[in-house]
């Protein structure tokens, strides 16, 4: 995946904001491009959760999210 284009907006980010931007880019790449569950989960906090309101699915914590990623059963985030 190509690096985000440098614009006036992201040239003026603080170091913390830049790190968050890079972390988000990594997360999206791992989830949708490489589809690597462990790398995706590594970009999230330990107690992350996903809640798919329309289909009442999701998970809480890395173990549940890892299982959910491995067995997509409904349209949405894990069945892209």
């Amino acid at each position: 995946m190509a690096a985000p284009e440098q614009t006036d907006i992201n040239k003026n980010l603080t170091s913390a904001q830049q790190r968050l931007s890079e972390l988000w880019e990594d997360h999206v790449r791992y989830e949708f491009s490489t589809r690597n569950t462990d790398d995706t989960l590594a970009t999230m906090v330990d107690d992350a959760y996903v809640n798919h309101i329309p289909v009442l699915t999701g998970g809480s914590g890395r173990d549940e999210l890892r299982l959910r990623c491995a067995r997509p059963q409904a349209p949405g985030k894990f069945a892209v």
Side-chain angles (χ1 to χ4, degrees):
M1 179 178 283
E5 179 182 334
Q6 286 290 325
T7 64
D8 288 338
I9 293 171
N10 55 9
K11 284 182 183 175
N12 295 320
L13 297 177
T14 66
S15 61
Q17 291 169 326
Q18 183 62 39
R19 178 64 191 123
L20 182 59
S21 177
E22 292 168 0
L23 184 63
W24 176 248
E25 292 296 327
D26 289 345
H27 178 86
V28 171
R29 182 176 61 256
Y30 298 144
E31 183 173 1
F32 298 110
S33 190
T34 67
R35 297 183 184 221
N36 185 309
T37 300
D38 288 329
D39 286 346
T40 301
L41 293 173
T43 66
M44 301 166 75
V45 295
D46 290 334
D47 62 345
Y49 67 93
V50 174
N51 188 6
H52 294 120
I53 302 278
V55 291
L56 301 174
T57 62
S60 181
R62 289 186 177 178
D63 290 338
E64 285 184 22
L65 292 178
R66 183 176 285 105
L67 285 173
R68 184 71 188 103
C69 289
R71 300 178 303 155
Q73 298 171 356
K77 181 176 171 113
F78 299 110
V80 173

